[in-house]
Amino acid sequence: MKSTNGRHLPALANLIAFETTARTGSVTGAAEELCLTQSAVSKQITELESFLGARMLNRRKGAVAPTPAGEEYLKSVRKALAMLEEATMEVQSGRASGGRLNLSVPVSLGNIWLLPRMLRFAREQPHIQLNVTTKVGPVDLESAGLDAAIMYCAGPPPRHFSLKVMPLELYPVCARELMPAGTPLAKAVRILPLLHQNAALEAWPAYLQQTGIKLAHPHDGSRYGLLTMGLQAALGGLGLALLPEYVAGDDIKAGRLLRLSDEPYVSPKAYYFICREDKRDSPAMETFIAWLLEQSAEANRR
């Protein structure tokens, strides 16, 4: 069967019939969902298989199931249909003229620092659609279908544009009821358990060495996967945590946490904004980068 659309692509109606039939598990179910007759759905699937030169569905009494080749093709078809639907909705909503960015951010930085500021961005740039997800650890932009990410890392991967958003500066804090104000850090670390962050397990040993405090087992203590989990552990009185100002600042000001030293531990890693080089020059990306630079400069001045 030759393509009638000038490209080596099957008809969209055939792809929709195939996806719907595979999802519902029957031609009858697909016909009901698509408001077509069963024969019309069967014809569209037959046309698709003829175009591809391969069987996509195994037909059994009362049910159908994708063949191995159909399973693989179905993954791509669903992705393509989803992208087409999303692009259509953008045009209908009036956002397509401004562009769209798919962005990943670390959970704690995103929830506490970035998202409240992004409300301002949304008001200032209403025609740019930001789709935000959260990730823990390194992010492969291409495989994840992302345009950009903010990552906590030692530096950007090759062939990517990057800018340093902010360093990770950690301060020792604990629940206020655990220690009186003015308690020396050297005393506190010998009384309270140390709370560690999985992303910065070197922090306590390095900080103690930096401050000249000797402790027999600086790696001992509970470990937490998120900064916000470390915050809750500290607030709950579980021990002494190293947390950044953007995470613990409000609780310190409110008197729920006590900072035991104004000397920070500065991680060798930092928060970097990273995007693919081929995405850097899009108007939406340029606008977001300029805005992020303003937010970064404001945060680093404090």
PDB file of all heavy atoms in Angstrom, residues 40-41 63 69 77 80 98 106 117 123-124 154 161 177 187 198 204-205 210 228 231 267 272 274 284 289 297:
ATOM      1  N   ALA A  40     -15.299  -1.230   9.949  1.00  0.00           N
ATOM      2  CA  ALA A  40     -14.465  -0.064   9.632  1.00  0.00           C
ATOM      3  C   ALA A  40     -13.145  -0.116  10.396  1.00  0.00           C
ATOM      4  O   ALA A  40     -12.075   0.184   9.845  1.00  0.00           O
ATOM      5  CB  ALA A  40     -15.215   1.220   9.950  1.00  0.00           C
ATOM      6  N   VAL A  41     -13.206  -0.501  11.679  1.00  0.00           N
ATOM      7  CA  VAL A  41     -11.984  -0.625  12.478  1.00  0.00           C
ATOM      8  C   VAL A  41     -11.092  -1.727  11.917  1.00  0.00           C
ATOM      9  O   VAL A  41      -9.875  -1.552  11.758  1.00  0.00           O
ATOM     10  CB  VAL A  41     -12.322  -0.908  13.954  1.00  0.00           C
ATOM     11  CG1 VAL A  41     -11.052  -1.224  14.746  1.00  0.00           C
ATOM     12  CG2 VAL A  41     -13.047   0.281  14.569  1.00  0.00           C
ATOM     13  N   ALA A  63     -11.008 -11.554  21.271  1.00  0.00           N
ATOM     14  CA  ALA A  63      -9.942 -10.700  21.780  1.00  0.00           C
ATOM     15  C   ALA A  63      -8.827 -10.580  20.753  1.00  0.00           C
ATOM     16  O   ALA A  63      -8.668 -11.424  19.877  1.00  0.00           O
ATOM     17  CB  ALA A  63      -9.387 -11.260  23.084  1.00  0.00           C
ATOM     18  N   ALA A  69       6.205  -7.618  17.116  1.00  0.00           N
ATOM     19  CA  ALA A  69       6.471  -6.416  16.312  1.00  0.00           C
ATOM     20  C   ALA A  69       5.461  -5.321  16.617  1.00  0.00           C
ATOM     21  O   ALA A  69       5.793  -4.130  16.667  1.00  0.00           O
ATOM     22  CB  ALA A  69       6.429  -6.768  14.821  1.00  0.00           C
ATOM     23  N   VAL A  77       4.011   4.529  18.469  1.00  0.00           N
ATOM     24  CA  VAL A  77       2.733   5.126  18.066  1.00  0.00           C
ATOM     25  C   VAL A  77       2.124   5.915  19.219  1.00  0.00           C
ATOM     26  O   VAL A  77       1.657   7.051  19.034  1.00  0.00           O
ATOM     27  CB  VAL A  77       1.758   4.025  17.575  1.00  0.00           C
ATOM     28  CG1 VAL A  77       0.347   4.583  17.429  1.00  0.00           C
ATOM     29  CG2 VAL A  77       2.232   3.443  16.257  1.00  0.00           C
ATOM     30  N   ALA A  80       4.041   9.133  19.719  1.00  0.00           N
ATOM     31  CA  ALA A  80       3.763  10.095  18.653  1.00  0.00           C
ATOM     32  C   ALA A  80       2.365  10.703  18.795  1.00  0.00           C
ATOM     33  O   ALA A  80       2.177  11.915  18.613  1.00  0.00           O
ATOM     34  CB  ALA A  80       3.905   9.425  17.293  1.00  0.00           C
ATOM     35  N   GLY A  98       4.401  31.125  22.236  1.00  0.00           N
ATOM     36  CA  GLY A  98       5.475  31.424  23.190  1.00  0.00           C
ATOM     37  C   GLY A  98       6.443  30.286  23.372  1.00  0.00           C
ATOM     38  O   GLY A  98       7.580  30.495  23.789  1.00  0.00           O
ATOM     39  N   PRO A 106      15.683  19.193  41.006  1.00  0.00           N
ATOM     40  CA  PRO A 106      15.751  18.379  42.220  1.00  0.00           C
ATOM     41  C   PRO A 106      14.523  18.638  43.095  1.00  0.00           C
ATOM     42  O   PRO A 106      13.982  19.752  43.113  1.00  0.00           O
ATOM     43  CB  PRO A 106      17.035  18.874  42.911  1.00  0.00           C
ATOM     44  CG  PRO A 106      17.837  19.509  41.821  1.00  0.00           C
ATOM     45  CD  PRO A 106      16.833  20.095  40.880  1.00  0.00           C
ATOM     46  N   ARG A 117       9.147  30.925  42.948  1.00  0.00           N
ATOM     47  CA  ARG A 117       9.622  31.973  42.038  1.00  0.00           C
ATOM     48  C   ARG A 117       9.032  31.813  40.650  1.00  0.00           C
ATOM     49  O   ARG A 117       8.869  32.803  39.925  1.00  0.00           O
ATOM     50  CB  ARG A 117      11.154  31.934  41.962  1.00  0.00           C
ATOM     51  CG  ARG A 117      11.829  32.423  43.228  1.00  0.00           C
ATOM     52  CD  ARG A 117      13.312  32.103  43.250  1.00  0.00           C
ATOM     53  NE  ARG A 117      14.007  32.767  44.334  1.00  0.00           N
ATOM     54  CZ  ARG A 117      13.983  32.365  45.590  1.00  0.00           C
ATOM     55  NH1 ARG A 117      13.298  31.265  45.908  1.00  0.00           N
ATOM     56  NH2 ARG A 117      14.611  33.037  46.542  1.00  0.00           N
ATOM     57  N   ARG A 123       3.483  34.613  35.496  1.00  0.00           N
ATOM     58  CA  ARG A 123       2.747  35.877  35.326  1.00  0.00           C
ATOM     59  C   ARG A 123       3.431  36.769  34.288  1.00  0.00           C
ATOM     60  O   ARG A 123       2.763  37.430  33.496  1.00  0.00           O
ATOM     61  CB  ARG A 123       2.643  36.611  36.659  1.00  0.00           C
ATOM     62  CG  ARG A 123       1.692  35.960  37.659  1.00  0.00           C
ATOM     63  CD  ARG A 123       1.370  36.919  38.801  1.00  0.00           C
ATOM     64  NE  ARG A 123       2.558  37.206  39.593  1.00  0.00           N
ATOM     65  CZ  ARG A 123       2.922  36.542  40.678  1.00  0.00           C
ATOM     66  NH1 ARG A 123       2.187  35.513  41.082  1.00  0.00           N
ATOM     67  NH2 ARG A 123       4.002  36.875  41.342  1.00  0.00           N
ATOM     68  N   GLU A 124       4.774  36.780  34.301  1.00  0.00           N
ATOM     69  CA  GLU A 124       5.515  37.645  33.385  1.00  0.00           C
ATOM     70  C   GLU A 124       5.555  37.094  31.966  1.00  0.00           C
ATOM     71  O   GLU A 124       5.652  37.861  31.004  1.00  0.00           O
ATOM     72  CB  GLU A 124       6.943  37.841  33.908  1.00  0.00           C
ATOM     73  CG  GLU A 124       7.018  38.590  35.225  1.00  0.00           C
ATOM     74  CD  GLU A 124       8.421  38.578  35.808  1.00  0.00           C
ATOM     75  OE1 GLU A 124       9.314  37.914  35.230  1.00  0.00           O
ATOM     76  OE2 GLU A 124       8.638  39.230  36.848  1.00  0.00           O
ATOM     77  N   ALA A 154      28.886  17.901  39.889  1.00  0.00           N
ATOM     78  CA  ALA A 154      30.220  18.509  39.919  1.00  0.00           C
ATOM     79  C   ALA A 154      30.455  19.403  38.714  1.00  0.00           C
ATOM     80  O   ALA A 154      31.340  20.262  38.730  1.00  0.00           O
ATOM     81  CB  ALA A 154      31.286  17.418  39.984  1.00  0.00           C
ATOM     82  N   PHE A 161      25.006  23.185  27.181  1.00  0.00           N
ATOM     83  CA  PHE A 161      25.142  24.524  27.748  1.00  0.00           C
ATOM     84  C   PHE A 161      24.808  24.450  29.232  1.00  0.00           C
ATOM     85  O   PHE A 161      23.910  23.717  29.643  1.00  0.00           O
ATOM     86  CB  PHE A 161      24.182  25.497  27.057  1.00  0.00           C
ATOM     87  CG  PHE A 161      24.042  26.806  27.778  1.00  0.00           C
ATOM     88  CD1 PHE A 161      25.014  27.791  27.648  1.00  0.00           C
ATOM     89  CD2 PHE A 161      22.956  27.043  28.616  1.00  0.00           C
ATOM     90  CE1 PHE A 161      24.895  28.991  28.328  1.00  0.00           C
ATOM     91  CE2 PHE A 161      22.835  28.242  29.299  1.00  0.00           C
ATOM     92  CZ  PHE A 161      23.807  29.221  29.154  1.00  0.00           C
ATOM     93  N   GLU A 177      15.061  22.844  71.075  1.00  0.00           N
ATOM     94  CA  GLU A 177      14.947  22.310  72.427  1.00  0.00           C
ATOM     95  C   GLU A 177      16.077  21.349  72.787  1.00  0.00           C
ATOM     96  O   GLU A 177      16.249  21.000  73.961  1.00  0.00           O
ATOM     97  CB  GLU A 177      13.599  21.606  72.610  1.00  0.00           C
ATOM     98  CG  GLU A 177      13.357  20.401  71.714  1.00  0.00           C
ATOM     99  CD  GLU A 177      12.656  20.764  70.417  1.00  0.00           C
ATOM    100  OE1 GLU A 177      12.675  21.970  70.044  1.00  0.00           O
ATOM    101  OE2 GLU A 177      12.105  19.854  69.775  1.00  0.00           O
ATOM    102  N   LYS A 187      30.885  20.714  71.074  1.00  0.00           N
ATOM    103  CA  LYS A 187      30.155  20.014  72.134  1.00  0.00           C
ATOM    104  C   LYS A 187      28.929  19.310  71.559  1.00  0.00           C
ATOM    105  O   LYS A 187      28.636  18.158  71.921  1.00  0.00           O
ATOM    106  CB  LYS A 187      29.735  21.003  73.224  1.00  0.00           C
ATOM    107  CG  LYS A 187      28.947  20.358  74.353  1.00  0.00           C
ATOM    108  CD  LYS A 187      28.552  21.398  75.408  1.00  0.00           C
ATOM    109  CE  LYS A 187      27.727  20.747  76.526  1.00  0.00           C
ATOM    110  NZ  LYS A 187      27.321  21.760  77.551  1.00  0.00           N
ATOM    111  N   ASN A 198      22.208  11.692  51.522  1.00  0.00           N
ATOM    112  CA  ASN A 198      22.790  10.746  50.561  1.00  0.00           C
ATOM    113  C   ASN A 198      23.572  11.445  49.452  1.00  0.00           C
ATOM    114  O   ASN A 198      24.559  10.916  48.946  1.00  0.00           O
ATOM    115  CB  ASN A 198      21.692   9.879  49.941  1.00  0.00           C
ATOM    116  CG  ASN A 198      21.188   8.822  50.895  1.00  0.00           C
ATOM    117  OD1 ASN A 198      21.848   8.486  51.877  1.00  0.00           O
ATOM    118  ND2 ASN A 198      20.006   8.298  50.621  1.00  0.00           N
ATOM    119  N   TRP A 204      29.634  15.903  56.468  1.00  0.00           N
ATOM    120  CA  TRP A 204      29.994  15.960  57.888  1.00  0.00           C
ATOM    121  C   TRP A 204      31.483  15.691  58.123  1.00  0.00           C
ATOM    122  O   TRP A 204      32.143  16.465  58.822  1.00  0.00           O
ATOM    123  CB  TRP A 204      29.127  15.008  58.709  1.00  0.00           C
ATOM    124  CG  TRP A 204      27.898  15.640  59.275  1.00  0.00           C
ATOM    125  CD1 TRP A 204      26.603  15.301  59.033  1.00  0.00           C
ATOM    126  CD2 TRP A 204      27.845  16.740  60.200  1.00  0.00           C
ATOM    127  NE1 TRP A 204      25.740  16.112  59.728  1.00  0.00           N
ATOM    128  CE2 TRP A 204      26.477  17.007  60.465  1.00  0.00           C
ATOM    129  CE3 TRP A 204      28.799  17.535  60.815  1.00  0.00           C
ATOM    130  CZ2 TRP A 204      26.051  18.019  61.314  1.00  0.00           C
ATOM    131  CZ3 TRP A 204      28.395  18.559  61.671  1.00  0.00           C
ATOM    132  CH2 TRP A 204      27.030  18.794  61.915  1.00  0.00           C
ATOM    133  N   PRO A 205      32.070  14.618  57.578  1.00  0.00           N
ATOM    134  CA  PRO A 205      33.506  14.416  57.787  1.00  0.00           C
ATOM    135  C   PRO A 205      34.348  15.594  57.308  1.00  0.00           C
ATOM    136  O   PRO A 205      35.285  16.026  57.996  1.00  0.00           O
ATOM    137  CB  PRO A 205      33.803  13.142  56.987  1.00  0.00           C
ATOM    138  CG  PRO A 205      32.507  12.415  56.950  1.00  0.00           C
ATOM    139  CD  PRO A 205      31.460  13.480  56.862  1.00  0.00           C
ATOM    140  N   GLN A 210      37.267  20.658  58.454  1.00  0.00           N
ATOM    141  CA  GLN A 210      37.380  22.088  58.149  1.00  0.00           C
ATOM    142  C   GLN A 210      37.367  22.937  59.414  1.00  0.00           C
ATOM    143  O   GLN A 210      38.110  23.914  59.527  1.00  0.00           O
ATOM    144  CB  GLN A 210      36.211  22.486  57.232  1.00  0.00           C
ATOM    145  CG  GLN A 210      36.045  23.971  56.985  1.00  0.00           C
ATOM    146  CD  GLN A 210      34.771  24.264  56.200  1.00  0.00           C
ATOM    147  OE1 GLN A 210      34.465  23.586  55.227  1.00  0.00           O
ATOM    148  NE2 GLN A 210      34.031  25.270  56.617  1.00  0.00           N
ATOM    149  N   THR A 228      14.663  17.845  52.255  1.00  0.00           N
ATOM    150  CA  THR A 228      13.452  18.071  53.035  1.00  0.00           C
ATOM    151  C   THR A 228      13.241  16.975  54.084  1.00  0.00           C
ATOM    152  O   THR A 228      12.676  17.228  55.149  1.00  0.00           O
ATOM    153  CB  THR A 228      12.224  18.145  52.116  1.00  0.00           C
ATOM    154  OG1 THR A 228      12.257  17.055  51.180  1.00  0.00           O
ATOM    155  CG2 THR A 228      12.200  19.445  51.345  1.00  0.00           C
ATOM    156  N   LEU A 231      15.501  17.897  56.856  1.00  0.00           N
ATOM    157  CA  LEU A 231      14.886  18.990  57.607  1.00  0.00           C
ATOM    158  C   LEU A 231      13.879  18.465  58.614  1.00  0.00           C
ATOM    159  O   LEU A 231      13.878  18.859  59.789  1.00  0.00           O
ATOM    160  CB  LEU A 231      14.208  19.961  56.633  1.00  0.00           C
ATOM    161  CG  LEU A 231      13.344  21.057  57.268  1.00  0.00           C
ATOM    162  CD1 LEU A 231      14.210  22.013  58.076  1.00  0.00           C
ATOM    163  CD2 LEU A 231      12.553  21.807  56.200  1.00  0.00           C
ATOM    164  N   SER A 267      29.871  22.649  49.445  1.00  0.00           N
ATOM    165  CA  SER A 267      30.060  21.398  48.714  1.00  0.00           C
ATOM    166  C   SER A 267      30.879  21.631  47.445  1.00  0.00           C
ATOM    167  O   SER A 267      30.745  22.683  46.795  1.00  0.00           O
ATOM    168  CB  SER A 267      28.699  20.798  48.341  1.00  0.00           C
ATOM    169  OG  SER A 267      28.858  19.704  47.459  1.00  0.00           O
ATOM    170  N   TYR A 272      23.473  23.280  38.909  1.00  0.00           N
ATOM    171  CA  TYR A 272      23.709  23.776  37.558  1.00  0.00           C
ATOM    172  C   TYR A 272      22.434  23.670  36.736  1.00  0.00           C
ATOM    173  O   TYR A 272      21.711  22.666  36.812  1.00  0.00           O
ATOM    174  CB  TYR A 272      24.794  22.966  36.854  1.00  0.00           C
ATOM    175  CG  TYR A 272      26.204  23.233  37.327  1.00  0.00           C
ATOM    176  CD1 TYR A 272      26.736  22.509  38.392  1.00  0.00           C
ATOM    177  CD2 TYR A 272      27.005  24.191  36.712  1.00  0.00           C
ATOM    178  CE1 TYR A 272      28.034  22.747  38.838  1.00  0.00           C
ATOM    179  CE2 TYR A 272      28.302  24.428  37.145  1.00  0.00           C
ATOM    180  CZ  TYR A 272      28.814  23.701  38.204  1.00  0.00           C
ATOM    181  OH  TYR A 272      30.089  23.931  38.635  1.00  0.00           O
ATOM    182  N   ILE A 274      21.259  23.057  33.074  1.00  0.00           N
ATOM    183  CA  ILE A 274      21.859  22.387  31.927  1.00  0.00           C
ATOM    184  C   ILE A 274      20.800  22.204  30.847  1.00  0.00           C
ATOM    185  O   ILE A 274      19.667  21.798  31.146  1.00  0.00           O
ATOM    186  CB  ILE A 274      22.435  21.019  32.342  1.00  0.00           C
ATOM    187  CG1 ILE A 274      23.579  21.222  33.340  1.00  0.00           C
ATOM    188  CG2 ILE A 274      22.921  20.233  31.135  1.00  0.00           C
ATOM    189  CD1 ILE A 274      24.052  19.954  33.999  1.00  0.00           C
ATOM    190  N   ALA A 284      11.985  30.633  23.862  1.00  0.00           N
ATOM    191  CA  ALA A 284      11.511  30.273  25.197  1.00  0.00           C
ATOM    192  C   ALA A 284      12.682  29.960  26.121  1.00  0.00           C
ATOM    193  O   ALA A 284      12.700  30.372  27.289  1.00  0.00           O
ATOM    194  CB  ALA A 284      10.570  29.074  25.119  1.00  0.00           C
ATOM    195  N   ILE A 289      16.386  31.307  30.589  1.00  0.00           N
ATOM    196  CA  ILE A 289      17.760  31.432  31.080  1.00  0.00           C
ATOM    197  C   ILE A 289      18.003  32.831  31.642  1.00  0.00           C
ATOM    198  O   ILE A 289      18.611  32.991  32.705  1.00  0.00           O
ATOM    199  CB  ILE A 289      18.767  31.100  29.960  1.00  0.00           C
ATOM    200  CG1 ILE A 289      18.734  29.603  29.656  1.00  0.00           C
ATOM    201  CG2 ILE A 289      20.177  31.533  30.341  1.00  0.00           C
ATOM    202  CD1 ILE A 289      19.556  29.196  28.443  1.00  0.00           C
ATOM    203  N   ALA A 297      21.264  35.448  40.728  1.00  0.00           N
ATOM    204  CA  ALA A 297      22.002  36.601  41.256  1.00  0.00           C
ATOM    205  C   ALA A 297      21.361  37.116  42.528  1.00  0.00           C
ATOM    206  O   ALA A 297      22.051  37.452  43.503  1.00  0.00           O
ATOM    207  CB  ALA A 297      22.054  37.700  40.195  1.00  0.00           C
TER     208      ALA A 297
END
